[in-house]
Protein backbone atom coordinates (compact mmCIF):
# COMPACT_ATOMS: atom_id res chain seq x y z
CA UNK A 1 0.00 0.00 0.00
CA UNK A 2 1.02 3.59 -0.29
CA UNK A 3 0.08 6.84 1.32
CA UNK A 4 -1.21 9.49 -1.00
CA UNK A 5 -2.32 13.08 -0.48
CA UNK A 6 -5.98 13.38 -1.37
CA UNK A 7 -5.21 16.15 -3.85
CA UNK A 8 -2.98 13.72 -5.78
CA UNK A 9 -5.70 11.11 -6.17
CA UNK A 10 -6.90 11.12 -9.73
CA UNK A 11 -10.65 10.67 -9.86
CA UNK A 12 -10.59 8.85 -13.20
CA UNK A 13 -8.24 6.17 -11.88
CA UNK A 14 -9.63 3.41 -9.77
CA UNK A 15 -8.12 3.42 -6.32
CA UNK A 16 -8.90 1.08 -3.46
CA UNK A 17 -8.67 2.28 0.11
CA UNK A 18 -6.08 0.21 1.99
CA UNK A 19 -6.78 1.28 5.58
CA UNK A 20 -9.98 2.20 7.37
CA UNK A 21 -10.63 5.89 7.90
CA UNK A 22 -11.82 6.55 11.45
CA UNK A 23 -14.31 9.17 12.52
CA UNK A 24 -13.78 11.20 15.69
CA UNK A 25 -15.85 8.80 17.81
CA UNK A 26 -13.80 5.78 16.75
CA UNK A 27 -16.36 4.54 14.24
CA UNK A 28 -15.25 3.55 10.76
CA UNK A 29 -16.00 6.33 8.33
CA UNK A 30 -14.84 4.43 5.28
CA UNK A 31 -13.71 0.83 5.18
CA UNK A 32 -10.51 -0.59 3.72
CA UNK A 33 -11.31 -2.21 0.39
CA UNK A 34 -13.73 0.56 -0.68
CA UNK A 35 -13.25 1.70 -4.27
CA UNK A 36 -12.62 5.42 -4.20
CA UNK A 37 -15.04 6.81 -6.75
CA UNK A 38 -15.05 10.48 -7.75
CA UNK A 39 -18.05 10.97 -5.46
CA UNK A 40 -16.27 9.43 -2.46
CA UNK A 41 -13.11 11.43 -3.13
CA UNK A 42 -15.25 14.57 -3.11
CA UNK A 43 -16.79 13.50 0.21
CA UNK A 44 -13.33 13.06 1.71
CA UNK A 45 -12.30 16.44 0.32
CA UNK A 46 -15.34 18.07 1.93
CA UNK A 47 -14.36 16.46 5.26
CA UNK A 48 -10.85 17.80 4.62
CA UNK A 49 -9.13 14.43 5.05
CA UNK A 50 -5.54 15.14 3.94
CA UNK A 51 -4.13 11.66 3.22
CA UNK A 52 -5.36 8.15 2.53
CA UNK A 53 -3.65 4.78 2.16
CA UNK A 54 -4.40 3.10 -1.15
CA UNK A 55 -3.65 -0.33 -2.51
CA UNK A 56 -1.71 -0.40 -5.70
CA UNK A 57 -0.01 -3.32 -7.44
CA UNK A 58 3.44 -1.66 -7.53
CA UNK A 59 3.55 -1.27 -3.77
CA UNK A 60 2.18 -4.67 -2.86
CA UNK A 61 3.79 -6.02 0.30
CA UNK A 62 4.56 -2.55 1.69
CA UNK A 63 2.66 -2.48 4.97
CA UNK A 64 3.22 0.12 7.70
CA UNK A 65 3.49 -1.43 11.15
CA UNK A 66 0.92 -0.01 13.52
CA UNK A 67 2.55 0.21 16.94
CA UNK A 68 -0.98 0.59 18.30
CA UNK A 69 -3.65 -1.52 16.64
CA UNK A 70 -6.65 0.05 15.00
CA UNK A 71 -8.92 -1.62 17.55
CA UNK A 72 -7.01 -0.05 20.47
CA UNK A 73 -7.02 3.34 18.76
CA UNK A 74 -10.76 3.08 18.06
CA UNK A 75 -11.58 2.27 21.67
CA UNK A 76 -9.42 5.14 22.94
CA UNK A 77 -11.08 7.50 20.46
CA UNK A 78 -14.54 6.35 21.51
CA UNK A 79 -13.80 6.97 25.20
CA UNK A 80 -12.07 10.30 24.59
CA UNK A 81 -14.87 11.58 22.38
CA UNK A 82 -17.45 10.59 25.00
CA UNK A 83 -15.55 12.57 27.64
CA UNK A 84 -15.02 15.61 25.41
CA UNK A 85 -18.56 15.65 23.98
CA UNK A 86 -20.13 15.27 27.42
CA UNK A 87 -18.01 18.07 28.80
CA UNK A 88 -19.02 20.28 25.91
CA UNK A 89 -22.72 19.45 26.17
CA UNK A 90 -23.28 19.36 29.88
CA UNK A 91 -22.53 21.60 32.76
CA UNK A 92 -19.24 20.60 34.34
CA UNK A 93 -20.77 20.05 37.79
CA UNK A 94 -22.95 17.27 36.46
CA UNK A 95 -19.93 15.27 35.43
CA UNK A 96 -17.83 15.69 38.53
CA UNK A 97 -17.82 12.64 40.72
CA UNK A 98 -18.91 10.23 38.00
CA UNK A 99 -16.82 7.41 36.68
CA UNK A 100 -17.11 8.78 33.19
CA UNK A 101 -13.48 9.82 33.08
CA UNK A 102 -12.15 6.35 33.69
CA UNK A 103 -9.94 5.93 30.66
CA UNK A 104 -7.48 3.58 32.41
CA UNK A 105 -8.59 0.49 30.46
CA UNK A 106 -8.04 2.21 27.11
CA UNK A 107 -4.63 3.54 28.20
CA UNK A 108 -3.64 0.06 29.41
CA UNK A 109 -4.48 -1.31 25.95
CA UNK A 110 -2.22 1.34 24.36
CA UNK A 111 0.60 0.38 26.76
CA UNK A 112 0.18 -3.34 25.96
CA UNK A 113 0.32 -2.65 22.21
CA UNK A 114 3.40 -0.42 22.49
CA UNK A 115 5.20 -2.96 24.68
CA UNK A 116 4.37 -5.67 22.17
CA UNK A 117 6.42 -3.82 19.53
CA UNK A 118 9.75 -3.14 21.20
CA UNK A 119 11.99 -1.04 19.01
CA UNK A 120 9.18 -0.13 16.60
CA UNK A 121 8.97 3.43 15.46
CA UNK A 122 5.88 5.60 15.43
CA UNK A 123 5.01 5.22 11.79
CA UNK A 124 2.09 7.43 11.16
CA UNK A 125 0.85 10.29 9.10
CA UNK A 126 -2.17 12.14 10.36
CA UNK A 127 -5.15 11.25 8.26
CA UNK A 128 -7.87 12.92 10.25
CA UNK A 129 -9.94 15.83 9.15
CA UNK A 130 -9.40 19.23 10.75
CA UNK A 131 -12.88 19.17 12.24
CA UNK A 132 -12.11 16.12 14.32
CA UNK A 133 -8.77 17.49 15.46
CA UNK A 134 -9.26 17.57 19.22
CA UNK A 135 -10.36 13.92 19.42
CA UNK A 136 -7.63 12.40 17.26
CA UNK A 137 -5.04 14.78 18.68
CA UNK A 138 -5.83 13.66 22.25
CA UNK A 139 -5.38 9.99 21.37
CA UNK A 140 -2.24 10.62 19.27
CA UNK A 141 -0.62 12.56 22.12
CA UNK A 142 -1.52 9.72 24.49
CA UNK A 143 0.06 7.15 22.16
CA UNK A 144 3.25 9.13 21.44
CA UNK A 145 3.72 9.89 25.15
CA UNK A 146 3.37 6.21 26.06
CA UNK A 147 5.96 5.32 23.38
CA UNK A 148 8.36 7.79 25.04
CA UNK A 149 7.50 6.50 28.51
CA UNK A 150 8.22 2.92 27.39
CA UNK A 151 11.50 4.22 25.93
CA UNK A 152 12.32 5.61 29.38
CA UNK A 153 11.55 2.18 30.88
CA UNK A 154 8.71 3.49 33.02
CA UNK A 155 6.86 1.05 35.28
CA UNK A 156 3.29 0.13 34.35
CA UNK A 157 1.91 2.48 37.01
CA UNK A 158 3.94 5.41 35.70
CA UNK A 159 2.88 4.62 32.12
CA UNK A 160 -0.76 4.69 33.20
CA UNK A 161 -0.35 8.06 34.95
CA UNK A 162 1.46 9.48 31.93
CA UNK A 163 -0.96 7.97 29.38
CA UNK A 164 -4.06 9.26 31.17
CA UNK A 165 -2.62 12.76 31.60
CA UNK A 166 -1.34 12.92 28.02
CA UNK A 167 -4.61 11.71 26.49
CA UNK A 168 -6.68 14.17 28.51
CA UNK A 169 -4.15 17.03 28.40
CA UNK A 170 -6.48 19.32 26.44
CA UNK A 171 -9.85 18.62 28.14
CA UNK A 172 -9.82 22.19 29.41
CA UNK A 173 -10.48 23.28 25.82
CA UNK A 174 -14.06 22.07 26.25
CA UNK A 175 -14.65 25.12 28.46
CA UNK A 176 -13.19 27.59 25.96
CA UNK A 177 -15.81 29.47 23.88
CA UNK A 178 -16.46 27.51 20.71
CA UNK A 179 -15.91 30.59 18.48
CA UNK A 180 -12.34 30.80 19.76
CA UNK A 181 -11.76 27.06 19.62
CA UNK A 182 -12.94 26.80 16.02
CA UNK A 183 -11.72 30.15 14.78
CA UNK A 184 -10.16 29.75 11.36
CA UNK A 185 -6.86 31.58 11.41
CA UNK A 186 -4.54 32.88 14.10
CA UNK A 187 -6.03 34.07 17.40
CA UNK A 188 -5.69 37.72 18.43
CA UNK A 189 -4.07 38.58 21.75
CA UNK A 190 -7.25 38.60 23.79
CA UNK A 191 -8.47 35.32 22.28
CA UNK A 192 -5.05 33.75 22.84
CA UNK A 193 -5.13 34.81 26.51
CA UNK A 194 -8.49 33.09 26.87
CA UNK A 195 -7.26 30.00 25.06
CA UNK A 196 -4.30 29.81 27.42
CA UNK A 197 -6.69 29.21 30.29
CA UNK A 198 -7.37 25.70 29.00
CA UNK A 199 -4.44 24.19 30.87
CA UNK A 200 -5.68 25.47 34.26
CA UNK A 201 -9.27 24.56 33.39
CA UNK A 202 -8.17 21.06 32.40
CA UNK A 203 -6.39 20.68 35.73
CA UNK A 204 -9.47 21.82 37.61
CA UNK A 205 -11.69 19.34 35.78
CA UNK A 206 -9.31 16.39 36.15
CA UNK A 207 -8.31 16.91 39.78
CA UNK A 208 -11.92 16.36 40.83
CA UNK A 209 -12.24 13.02 39.07
CA UNK A 210 -12.00 9.91 41.25
CA UNK A 211 -10.51 7.79 38.47
CA UNK A 212 -7.77 10.27 37.56
CA UNK A 213 -4.43 10.27 39.42
CA UNK A 214 -3.61 13.78 40.63
CA UNK A 215 -0.27 13.70 38.81
CA UNK A 216 -2.17 13.15 35.52
CA UNK A 217 -4.15 16.31 36.21
CA UNK A 218 -0.81 18.10 36.54
CA UNK A 219 0.06 17.01 33.00
CA UNK A 220 -2.92 19.03 31.76
CA UNK A 221 -1.79 21.95 33.91
CA UNK A 222 1.83 21.88 32.78
CA UNK A 223 1.77 20.78 29.13
CA UNK A 224 2.33 24.33 27.84
CA UNK A 225 5.24 25.07 30.16
CA UNK A 226 8.54 25.38 28.31
CA UNK A 227 12.12 24.37 29.18
CA UNK A 228 13.35 28.00 29.18
CA UNK A 229 10.49 29.20 31.39
CA UNK A 230 8.61 30.94 28.57
CA UNK A 231 5.52 28.75 28.81
CA UNK A 232 2.27 29.10 30.73
CA UNK A 233 0.48 29.23 33.14
CA UNK A 234 3.27 29.38 35.72
CA UNK A 235 6.45 29.88 33.68
CA UNK A 236 8.08 26.74 35.10
CA UNK A 237 11.59 26.12 33.79
CA UNK A 238 13.69 23.01 33.23
CA UNK A 239 13.05 20.25 35.78
CA UNK A 240 10.36 22.30 37.52
CA UNK A 241 8.08 20.99 34.79
CA UNK A 242 7.21 17.39 35.62
CA UNK A 243 8.78 14.82 33.29
CA UNK A 244 5.32 13.59 32.21
CA UNK A 245 4.49 17.12 31.10
CA UNK A 246 7.85 17.53 29.33
CA UNK A 247 7.07 14.36 27.38
CA UNK A 248 3.49 15.44 26.65
CA UNK A 249 4.69 18.88 25.46
CA UNK A 250 6.84 17.24 22.78
CA UNK A 251 4.09 14.81 21.72
CA UNK A 252 1.56 17.68 21.66
CA UNK A 253 3.67 19.96 19.45
CA UNK A 254 4.71 17.14 17.12
CA UNK A 255 1.13 16.01 16.57
CA UNK A 256 -0.12 19.59 16.14
CA UNK A 257 2.59 20.29 13.54
CA UNK A 258 1.80 17.14 11.56
CA UNK A 259 -1.95 17.89 11.51
CA UNK A 260 -3.72 20.07 8.98
CA UNK A 261 -4.98 23.26 10.60
CA UNK A 262 -7.30 25.87 9.19
CA UNK A 263 -4.41 28.31 8.71
CA UNK A 264 -1.75 25.98 7.32
CA UNK A 265 -1.19 22.58 5.83
CA UNK A 266 0.33 19.75 7.82
CA UNK A 267 4.10 19.56 8.21
CA UNK A 268 5.59 16.25 7.14
CA UNK A 269 7.16 14.09 9.87
CA UNK A 270 10.77 15.00 8.96
CA UNK A 271 9.90 18.72 8.89
CA UNK A 272 8.17 18.52 12.26
CA UNK A 273 11.14 16.70 13.82
CA UNK A 274 13.48 19.41 12.44
CA UNK A 275 11.28 22.11 13.96
CA UNK A 276 11.32 20.34 17.33
CA UNK A 277 15.08 20.14 17.16
CA UNK A 278 15.27 23.82 16.29
CA UNK A 279 13.26 24.58 19.42
CA UNK A 280 15.40 21.97 21.22
CA UNK A 281 17.04 23.48 24.24
CA UNK A 282 14.77 26.51 24.37
CA UNK A 283 11.35 24.95 24.56
CA UNK A 284 11.88 21.29 25.28
CA UNK A 285 14.02 18.94 27.28
CA UNK A 286 16.73 18.25 24.69
CA UNK A 287 17.43 14.72 25.96
CA UNK A 288 13.77 13.85 25.46
CA UNK A 289 13.73 15.42 21.98
CA UNK A 290 16.69 13.22 21.02
CA UNK A 291 14.89 10.15 22.29
CA UNK A 292 11.76 11.22 20.48
CA UNK A 293 13.68 11.53 17.20
CA UNK A 294 14.78 7.89 17.53
CA UNK A 295 11.22 6.73 18.06
CA UNK A 296 9.62 8.53 15.11
CA UNK A 297 9.80 7.25 11.55
CA UNK A 298 10.63 10.48 9.74
CA UNK A 299 9.88 8.78 6.44
CA UNK A 300 6.93 6.55 7.31
CA UNK A 301 6.49 3.31 5.40
CA UNK A 302 4.22 3.88 2.42
CA UNK A 303 5.16 7.53 1.89
CA UNK A 304 5.92 8.64 -1.70
CA UNK A 305 9.22 10.39 -2.25
CA UNK A 306 11.09 12.06 -5.10
CA UNK A 307 14.69 10.92 -5.39
CA UNK A 308 17.54 13.26 -6.35
CA UNK A 309 17.78 11.64 -9.79
CA UNK A 310 14.10 12.30 -10.57
CA UNK A 311 12.76 8.80 -9.91
CA UNK A 312 9.67 8.42 -7.73
CA UNK A 313 9.66 5.80 -5.01
CA UNK A 314 7.69 4.64 -1.98
CA UNK A 315 9.33 4.06 1.40
CA UNK A 316 9.33 0.31 1.99
CA UNK A 317 11.44 -0.18 5.13
CA UNK A 318 12.66 2.20 7.80
CA UNK A 319 16.31 2.42 8.79
CA UNK A 320 16.71 2.73 12.56
CA UNK A 321 20.40 3.65 12.42
CA UNK A 322 20.12 6.25 9.71
CA UNK A 323 16.42 7.24 9.53
CA UNK A 324 16.95 9.67 6.63
CA UNK A 325 18.12 6.77 4.45
CA UNK A 326 15.31 4.17 4.41
CA UNK A 327 14.75 1.43 1.82
CA UNK A 328 12.53 2.58 -1.03
CA UNK A 329 10.68 0.92 -3.88
CA UNK A 330 10.94 2.73 -7.22
CA UNK A 331 7.58 3.05 -8.99
CA UNK A 332 8.33 5.72 -11.64
CA UNK A 333 11.30 6.36 -13.88
CA UNK A 334 12.96 9.76 -13.96
CA UNK A 335 10.82 10.74 -16.99
CA UNK A 336 7.78 10.03 -14.71
CA UNK A 337 6.64 6.99 -16.68
CA UNK A 338 5.62 4.03 -14.50
CA UNK A 339 8.29 1.33 -14.20
CA UNK A 340 7.41 -1.97 -15.83
CA UNK A 341 8.49 -3.80 -12.72
CA UNK A 342 9.15 -2.11 -9.40
CA UNK A 343 12.50 -2.58 -7.66
CA UNK A 344 14.02 -1.58 -4.35
CA UNK A 345 16.97 0.63 -3.48
CA UNK A 346 18.57 0.69 -0.06
CA UNK A 347 19.48 4.35 0.40
CA UNK A 348 21.79 3.32 3.22
CA UNK A 349 24.07 1.29 0.98
CA UNK A 350 23.62 3.49 -2.11
CA UNK A 351 24.87 6.89 -0.91
CA UNK A 352 24.56 8.60 -4.33
CA UNK A 353 20.78 8.35 -4.20
CA UNK A 354 18.84 10.38 -1.68
CA UNK A 355 15.39 11.67 -0.92
CA UNK A 356 15.01 15.20 -2.17
CA UNK A 357 11.32 15.71 -1.53
CA UNK A 358 8.22 14.07 -0.13
CA UNK A 359 5.38 14.12 -2.61
FE1 LIG B 1 -2.98 22.46 24.97
Amino acid sequence: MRLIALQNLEAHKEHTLAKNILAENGQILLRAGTKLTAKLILRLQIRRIPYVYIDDPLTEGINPIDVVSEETRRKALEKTSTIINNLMKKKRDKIIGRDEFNIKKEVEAIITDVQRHPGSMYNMVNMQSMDDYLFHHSVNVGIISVILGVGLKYSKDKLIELGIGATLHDVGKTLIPIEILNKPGILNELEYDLMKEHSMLGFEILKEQPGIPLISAHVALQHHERWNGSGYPRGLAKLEQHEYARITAIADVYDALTSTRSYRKAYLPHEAVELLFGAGNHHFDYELVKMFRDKIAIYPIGMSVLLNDGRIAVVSEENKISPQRPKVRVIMNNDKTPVTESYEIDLYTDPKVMISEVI
Side-chain angles (χ1 to χ4, degrees):
M1 69 177 79
R2 67 186 279 216
L3 188 70
I4 190 159
L6 206 66
Q7 77 230 30
N8 295 340
L9 266 184
E10 296 158 81
H12 60 273
K13 267 197 190 169
E14 210 171 70
H15 295 291
T16 308
L17 197 64
K19 263 179 186 261
N20 294 335
I21 297 180
L22 300 183
E24 81 285 358
N25 56 1
Q27 285 182 356
I28 297 171
L29 196 65
L30 214 52
R31 258 176 212 289
T34 306
K35 296 260 177 279
L36 290 173
T37 57
K39 205 168 141 194
L40 277 182
I41 295 175
L42 187 66
R43 248 179 70 191
L44 294 175
Q45 277 165 347
I46 291 168
R47 284 190 76 107
R48 298 185 282 191
I49 305 270
Y51 295 95
V52 289
Y53 281 97
I54 56 157
D55 270 327
D56 98 8
L58 287 175
T59 55
E60 211 174 297
I62 296 181
N63 295 313
I65 310 146
D66 289 326
V67 178
V68 168
S69 72
E70 189 191 284
E71 181 65 8
T72 300
R73 181 180 284 276
R74 284 182 47 203
K75 289 200 170 135
L77 263 174
E78 199 183 324
K79 187 75 193 182
T80 311
S81 68
T82 305
I83 294 172
I84 291 175
N85 282 328
N86 284 348
L87 274 170
M88 279 180 161
K89 269 190 281 178
K90 296 178 198 166
K91 285 219 164 69
R92 220 178 102 200
D93 318 352
K94 286 193 182 165
I95 295 173
I96 290 174
R98 293 235 205 125
D99 203 27
E100 205 162 5
F101 277 80
N102 201 340
I103 197 171
K104 189 175 163 204
K105 201 168 71 193
E106 289 75 10
V107 169
E108 277 177 325
I110 292 174
I111 296 167
T112 307
D113 281 12
V114 172
Q115 287 179 329
R116 206 176 277 153
H117 295 94
S120 280
M121 296 167 105
Y122 187 69
N123 199 314
M124 221 199 75
V125 169
N126 270 319
M127 293 188 293
Q128 77 269 11
S129 109
M130 273 188 283
D131 313 316
D132 303 338
Y133 174 71
L134 187 53
F135 308 95
H136 290 274
H137 174 67
S138 301
V139 174
N140 287 344
V141 171
I143 293 173
I144 299 172
S145 298
V146 166
I147 291 174
L148 290 173
V150 169
L152 287 167
K153 307 214 169 11
Y154 275 6
S155 65
K156 175 91 182 281
D157 286 347
K158 283 182 80 174
L159 288 170
I160 291 171
E161 290 170 347
L162 167 66
I164 292 175
T167 307
L168 299 178
H169 72 284
D170 259 350
V171 287
K173 283 198 178 163
T174 55
L175 301 182
I176 300 295
I178 197 85
E179 317 79 70
I180 296 180
L181 207 57
N182 291 342
K183 184 185 172 184
I186 310 272
L187 301 178
N188 66 34
E189 210 183 313
L190 187 71
E191 291 164 337
Y192 185 53
D193 280 344
L194 266 169
M195 181 64 119
K196 285 206 288 201
E197 286 180 16
H198 80 274
S199 40
M200 182 59 86
L201 292 169
F203 173 68
E204 281 170 7
I205 296 170
L206 294 178
K207 78 175 182 10
E208 309 287 345
Q209 306 305 322
I212 304 283
L214 187 60
I215 194 69
S216 307
H218 278 275
V219 175
L221 179 65
Q222 294 184 18
H223 74 278
H224 284 287
E225 300 288 1
R226 292 295 177 254
W227 186 253
N228 61 1
S230 65
Y232 63 86
R234 291 184 287 167
L236 303 178
K238 299 188 177 169
L239 303 183
E240 286 170 351
Q241 185 188 14
H242 192 278
E243 189 169 69
Y244 296 170
R246 278 180 271 137
I247 290 172
T248 304
I250 294 171
D252 178 27
V253 171
Y254 176 80
D255 188 69
L257 287 171
T258 54
S259 300
T260 310
R261 309 310 309 274
S262 55
Y263 45 90
R264 61 152 171 80
K265 69 185 204 30
Y267 287 95
L268 291 159
H270 72 282
E271 296 169 328
V273 169
E274 265 169 45
L275 284 168
L276 278 178
F277 255 94
N281 253 344
H282 310 295
H283 286 172
F284 308 108
D285 180 340
Y286 198 60
E287 290 308 310
L288 290 177
V289 176
K290 280 197 282 188
M291 200 183 90
F292 174 79
R293 174 197 55 193
D294 298 338
K295 299 271 168 211
I296 292 287
I298 54 171
Y299 293 115
I301 293 174
M303 182 170 260
S304 310
V305 292
L306 174 70
L307 302 177
N308 58 333
D309 57 13
R311 287 179 289 180
I312 289 176
V314 172
V315 177
S316 57
E317 203 181 305
E318 61 208 17
N319 182 333
K320 291 196 182 104
I321 303 159
S322 183
Q324 68 281 15
R325 306 197 68 83
K327 249 186 210 162
V328 297
R329 188 180 297 178
V330 176
I331 56 166
M332 276 191 190
N333 301 308
N334 53 9
D335 59 1
K336 307 294 176 282
T337 54
V339 293
T340 38
E341 209 171 320
S342 62
Y343 55 93
E344 303 224 334
I345 314 177
D346 188 344
L347 300 182
Y348 191 60
T349 52
D350 203 340
K352 289 195 300 299
V353 189
M354 41 194 154
I355 294 172
S356 56
E357 219 179 290
V358 173
I359 50 172

